[in-house]
Amino acid sequence: MEEKNMHPNIKNFSSAVKNRTLDDYKISTFEKFLMGEKCPDDQKEFAKELLDKARIIVNTIQPQKIIQPNVNKGGGFKKSFNGHSNSQSKGQNSTAAEPSCIGESFTNPYHFIPFPKSTPKRSEPTSWSVDEIDKDRITGILELNIATLSPLSSCNPMPDDSESIHKSYGALKIDCDVIVPATGIKGSLRSLMTILSGGTLGYMDEHLWLCQGRDLRLGPSKTGDAPKNVFLGLIEDPGNDHKIGKIRLGETELVTENNLKQLISDFDRQRPKPGSTVKHFWIDDPKNPKKFDTKQTEECKWMVKLSGRTPNQRGVKKEGAFKPGNTVISIQEKIWADYHGRNRHSDFSELRKGMLVWLEPNNFDIEKIEKPEQIKSIQWARWGRGGIRFEDQLQKQCSFIIPDSKNIDGKVDEITNLFGHVPINEKAASSFAGRLRFENMVFANCEDKLEKVTLAPLMNPHPGCTAFYRQNENLDLYSINDPLRGYKIYRTTSEKGNDAPWLYKNQGVYDGNELKVPLQKLNKTCELLSEGVDGKLNIACHALTKRELALLILSCSVDWRIGAGKPLGLGHCKVHNIKFTDEDLNEVFNLSGDFNSLPDEWLKYLNQEELERAKQYLLLMKPVDKLRYPRAVNISNKSRATISGHIWFSRHAAPKKTGNKGLETRWTSGELKDKAGGFEQIKAQPLNDQLYGYDEVIAEQTLTKDRRTLIDV
């Protein structure tokens, strides 16, 4: 393409490719431009070629070495030229090496299509009998022919053997036909139509909190940046989102870990362990303990709450001590529900009678908690989980996509109007039936196309992971207050056969350095329907407008993801024929199912944003190599390794421990520093398409005096 005809963004990116002055930020920005409305249609093919070249280049070039701040012999950073203390010890992504230097790359199985910028079209619910008034409404049967592009998992809900630790499931069948139930198809199609139209969410977990790590300091503090005092409470009767619970109040003191270690020989074994019963012991005096017991006695009246093993041995670690009082207060359901919402992915997600918990006061200056209304939250640790409630974030960012069941305007968007509605909020639109009726999707006589496959464990991404769900172009300013990325999309895989990402051997569970036997509790074996198999689906449509039917056609002209195991690449399907017959048995249309062949008579009912969303969605359905759930290797000692997704997130996508802003860089030494081209730091990795460090093994970690952890691989 001639340079003079290029769009300025394409021209600048072409120059960056030519001069090899690329980085992840430039590529990400250009990708957004390519998918947006500003990129000229006649230049998109050239732009895609540029983007492919750029990705190859950025994965092979070494970053330019930069001048790092001078370090004093004692490990602290010298003053920078402007006289201010340099904050580089906390890590700066802006001056760090690209993560492509780390090692093995892989493709993130999740992507996002942004939420709409404007309110979707809303109206009063359409009555079932609307066609008696509006004679232009269309009623009939939509017949779809659909083919599997990757194996499909449609499991019988009952395992073959309910007593077995490892569960094996057969496919859902009626005689020799394999089926996907109508309810599953309805949910998948509703989600897809919501994404393409930019509609309201069909469902929202009102108790979901977005939390990652510890971001809530409970004190004690003398500087006013945290509560002045600390408070423990003893659970007398645990509550939940439907039940009021009770907590006993009392006195709280802190006791130093060193004093406890001198008193108890096997002190570290007393710490609470995930999956085990939490046990407490009792001491006589928090300030100077001389005696302890496994139960409360006349001498030992203080109950000790231990925290986990500290990762930083500097400073004086303190534990909590609680002396029960006579006051028992009732705690409302919301406080318990918030605890479960914040901690559903933590080691201690369930609270039980007899457990000690920390109480967050609603005022930093409170001297004593005496009433329920003085408690803002219940926390497991003194460095608690603050986070933000998902619904609050959504209200702040784009309240117009809150589910119609909770909306208070009494109206619904177009997709809810099609699928039906049951209100949660009393001010929401009242219940009404949907005008789409689904049959089961049927793959006739395909029993011989089923194969028992032991799958890789299906792991849900942590909903609070800042780098996963948040959008921010500056890695040093990432925060829990950043906007959510949008509707979640599942990528699909180009790898088949022995390399398929759904196979246990490719993403299995490890014990030490060895892959465990495939039949584990964490995974399951399923009958998968082969790729390349044809099925049929009928949808009864009642009193649809041409606009509604056009939205339905659009949704059937893009790839579908149905069944279980979608993050592993399963359930990729394509509709290859769309036929509509009206109630008088007249054929209204018979289409190929190809998005690029949709006739103008139906396209005219769709707006440009919907068509662009469909194009973006189709681009994300392009099969990719090395589709993997993020994971890494952790060596706890020289003889044992653990391979886990949580380790990758904490290593490459962790929020900074102080300041509540930015993602942690990685400080390098030895071979890793050489691989980074001499950089002392490597950038964090928000979850873009291409990620790095899959199964990375750390050889050595060194803690410096300025509290940096230097890593070698």
Side-chain angles (χ1 to χ4, degrees):
M1 177 178 288
E2 293 186 20
E3 191 171 294
K4 65 179 181 179
N5 297 327
M6 290 183 191
H7 186 283
N9 288 1
I10 298 177
K11 183 177 179 180
N12 292 337
F13 193 72
S14 177
S15 176
V17 171
K18 182 178 179 180
N19 298 321
R20 298 168 73 86
T21 56
L22 293 160
D23 56 32
D24 286 347
Y25 172 69
K26 287 182 181 178
I27 289 178
S28 175
T29 303
F30 188 73
E31 185 178 23
K32 291 176 186 175
F33 162 75
L34 174 60
M35 292 180 175
E37 297 180 4
K38 294 183 179 179
C39 182
D41 290 339
D42 61 343
Q43 298 184 30
K44 283 190 175 181
E45 202 59 44
F46 177 72
K48 290 177 185 177
E49 292 175 5
L50 276 179
L51 188 61
D52 291 339
K53 288 180 183 178
R55 285 173 174 154
I56 294 172
I57 291 171
V58 83
N59 288 340
T60 56
I61 61 174
Q62 289 286 348
Q64 293 181 335
K65 186 173 181 179
I66 63 171
I67 299 174
Q68 296 285 347
N70 293 324
V71 183
N72 293 324
K73 291 182 180 180
F77 283 88
K78 292 180 179 179
K79 298 266 184 176
S80 59
F81 69 91
N82 60 7
H84 297 291
S85 177
N86 200 309
S87 61
Q88 198 78 10
S89 61
K90 295 181 180 179
Q92 294 290 330
N93 287 281
S94 59
T95 55
E98 296 298 329
S100 55
C101 66
I102 292 173
E104 189 176 6
S105 64
F106 61 102
T107 304
N108 165 34
Y110 304 95
H111 211 287
F112 297 85
I113 288 181
F115 291 134
K117 295 181 179 179
S118 58
T119 304
K121 183 180 177 181
R122 302 180 63 74
S123 65
E124 301 291 334
T126 299
S127 67
W128 182 264
S129 58
V130 66
D131 55 341
E132 296 177 6
I133 302 171
D134 185 354
K135 300 301 182 181
D136 291 331
R137 296 271 175 166
I138 303 170
T139 296
I141 299 292
L142 191 69
E143 301 173 64
L144 306 177
N145 288 58
I146 190 164
T148 57
L149 302 182
S150 70
L152 171 67
S153 173
S154 180
C155 288
N156 190 316
M158 299 302 295
D160 298 338
D161 179 8
S162 60
E163 300 298 321
S164 175
I165 293 177
H166 175 84
K167 297 295 187 290
S168 179
Y169 298 85
L172 272 176
K173 292 179 292 184
I174 298 177
D175 295 329
C176 295
D177 299 342
V178 178
I179 68 162
V180 181
T183 51
I185 298 298
K186 180 180 179 181
S188 296
L189 187 58
R190 176 170 184 162
S191 296
L192 177 57
M193 293 183 72
T194 296
I195 292 169
L196 298 182
S197 67
T200 58
L201 299 179
Y203 168 77
M204 180 183 67
D205 183 350
E206 59 184 329
H207 299 305
L208 175 63
W209 279 75
L210 302 177
C211 303
Q212 183 184 13
R214 306 286 183 184
D215 61 349
L216 180 66
R217 183 182 163 210
L218 296 184
S221 170
K222 296 180 180 179
T223 58
D225 58 345
K228 186 186 298 183
N229 300 290
V230 289
F231 307 96
L232 282 167
L234 178 64
I235 297 178
E236 294 284 337
D237 183 19
N240 54 43
D241 55 336
H242 301 297
K243 174 191 168 188
I244 292 175
K246 295 181 179 180
I247 285 181
R248 182 175 297 276
L249 303 177
E251 300 176 41
T252 303
E253 296 284 351
L254 296 179
V255 52
T256 64
E257 181 187 62
N258 289 338
N259 283 347
L260 293 174
K261 283 185 174 180
Q262 292 174 10
L263 185 64
I264 305 170
S265 58
D266 61 345
F267 173 75
D268 281 330
R269 295 185 62 185
Q270 305 293 328
R271 296 190 183 281
K273 298 176 180 60
S276 301
T277 302
V278 177
K279 298 179 180 179
H280 300 287
F281 60 89
W282 302 72
I283 59 174
D284 58 341
D285 182 4
K287 296 179 180 177
N288 187 24
K290 298 296 183 183
K291 296 181 179 180
F292 82 97
D293 206 313
T294 57
K295 60 183 181 300
Q296 185 178 18
T297 67
E298 282 297 320
E299 291 183 295
C300 299
K301 297 182 179 180
W302 291 85
M303 191 178 185
V304 177
K305 177 175 174 59
L306 295 180
S307 56
R309 200 183 301 270
T310 177
N312 181 7
Q313 297 300 326
R314 289 189 174 91
V316 179
K317 180 172 172 59
K318 294 182 179 180
E319 308 290 359
F322 175 75
K323 186 177 181 181
N326 296 322
T327 303
V328 176
I329 59 175
S330 296
I331 305 296
Q332 294 299 312
E333 299 94 330
K334 181 182 182 301
I335 299 292
W336 299 97
D338 287 349
Y339 177 88
H340 295 138
R342 287 183 171 109
N343 292 274
R344 62 175 59 177
H345 290 267
S346 70
D347 291 337
F348 300 96
S349 57
E350 293 297 325
L351 296 176
R352 292 181 172 85
K353 181 178 180 179
M355 285 183 171
L356 283 175
V357 290
W358 295 95
L359 307 177
E360 180 192 7
N362 60 12
N363 187 310
F364 280 5
D365 295 323
I366 285 180
E367 298 286 342
K368 186 178 181 180
I369 290 180
E370 299 175 301
K371 305 174 184 176
E373 54 268 26
Q374 293 174 306
I375 298 174
K376 185 176 181 181
S377 73
I378 295 172
Q379 299 287 338
W380 179 256
R382 198 153 51 98
W383 271 99
R385 298 177 184 272
I388 185 170
R389 202 162 66 110
F390 176 74
E391 183 175 352
D392 293 340
Q393 173 66 33
L394 211 55
Q395 288 280 12
K396 181 172 66 173
Q397 180 178 337
C398 44
S399 60
F400 45 77
I401 69 163
I402 292 290
D404 288 318
S405 59
K406 292 178 69 69
N407 258 309
I408 61 173
D409 62 359
K411 297 180 179 181
V412 294
D413 81 340
E414 292 178 291
I415 308 306
T416 303
N417 208 3
L418 271 174
F419 282 82
H421 169 76
V422 177
I424 294 176
N425 191 302
E426 61 181 13
K427 294 183 179 180
S430 57
S431 298
F432 64 90
R435 289 174 286 122
L436 298 178
R437 293 286 190 270
F438 291 79
E439 293 184 0
N440 295 330
M441 181 182 290
V442 178
F443 296 89
N445 299 312
C446 286
E447 190 175 28
D448 60 339
K449 301 294 178 66
L450 293 170
E451 180 185 2
K452 280 271 187 179
V453 176
T454 299
L455 300 178
L458 284 169
M459 297 179 285
N460 293 323
H462 193 307
C465 182
T466 304
F468 193 109
Y469 284 99
R470 304 292 178 167
Q471 186 65 50
N472 194 327
E473 294 176 352
N474 189 331
L475 300 183
D476 291 316
L477 293 179
Y478 252 93
S479 127
I480 199 162
N481 294 311
D482 289 333
L484 298 165
R485 293 192 182 207
Y487 306 102
K488 187 165 63 179
I489 303 294
Y490 299 100
R491 304 303 306 271
T492 189
T493 177
S494 61
E495 295 174 305
K496 304 292 174 66
N498 288 329
D499 297 324
W502 52 80
L503 296 180
Y504 177 85
K505 71 183 187 68
N506 293 325
Q507 296 192 74
V509 180
Y510 283 75
D511 182 10
N513 295 305
E514 299 296 325
L515 187 67
K516 282 187 176 183
V517 294
L519 306 184
Q520 293 294 315
K521 183 178 181 180
L522 293 174
N523 69 328
K524 60 184 180 181
T525 296
C526 296
E527 276 190 318
L528 300 183
L529 181 65
S530 302
E531 63 179 276
V533 178
D534 290 332
K536 291 188 176 182
L537 171 67
N538 291 338
I539 305 174
C541 307
H542 180 78
L544 268 57
T545 64
K546 289 185 177 180
R547 155 76 179 167
E548 290 172 332
L549 189 53
L551 279 173
L552 196 54
I553 294 170
L554 176 67
S555 302
C556 294
S557 70
V558 298
D559 297 18
W560 284 14
R561 302 302 300 276
I562 55 178
K566 291 185 281 290
L568 298 175
L570 296 172
H572 185 196
C573 299
K574 174 65 179 172
V575 177
H576 55 80
N577 194 74
I578 311 171
K579 178 182 175 182
F580 190 86
T581 305
D582 67 18
E583 57 189 333
D584 296 323
L585 302 182
N586 298 315
E587 183 179 290
V588 178
F589 58 77
N590 195 333
L591 307 175
S592 67
D594 180 11
F595 172 78
N596 295 313
S597 300
L598 291 180
D600 289 339
E601 65 174 299
W602 295 106
L603 287 176
K604 67 183 180 182
Y605 296 106
L606 305 171
N607 62 50
Q608 190 60 37
E609 184 177 350
E610 288 161 348
L611 295 175
E612 288 301 323
R613 281 175 170 270
K615 292 176 184 177
Q616 186 177 359
Y617 178 85
L618 280 170
L619 190 61
L620 293 173
M621 286 298 105
K622 183 179 179 181
V624 295
D625 295 332
K626 198 71 183 287
L627 185 76
R628 297 290 186 270
Y629 185 89
R631 74 176 189 187
V633 181
N634 185 50
I635 304 293
S636 55
N637 56 52
K638 292 185 178 180
S639 62
R640 186 175 180 83
T642 304
I643 297 182
S644 164
H646 299 294
I647 296 167
W648 191 95
F649 285 101
S650 62
R651 189 178 292 173
H652 301 287
K656 290 182 178 178
K657 303 299 185 291
T658 57
N660 293 328
K661 281 191 176 182
L663 302 179
E664 290 278 14
T665 60
R666 305 181 67 210
W667 293 87
T668 64
S669 66
E671 184 180 341
L672 182 58
K673 187 172 182 178
D674 293 338
K675 289 180 178 180
F679 277 76
E680 289 190 358
Q681 300 172 68
I682 296 175
K683 287 181 181 178
Q685 296 185 63
L687 270 75
N688 298 319
D689 267 359
Q690 201 72 15
L691 302 175
Y692 302 90
Y694 192 76
D695 284 1
E696 174 198 36
V697 180
I698 289 180
E700 184 179 352
Q701 298 188 55
T702 306
L703 189 64
T704 66
K705 290 184 178 180
D706 62 348
R707 299 195 176 191
R708 291 176 298 148
T709 301
L710 304 181
I711 299 171
D712 191 10
V713 295

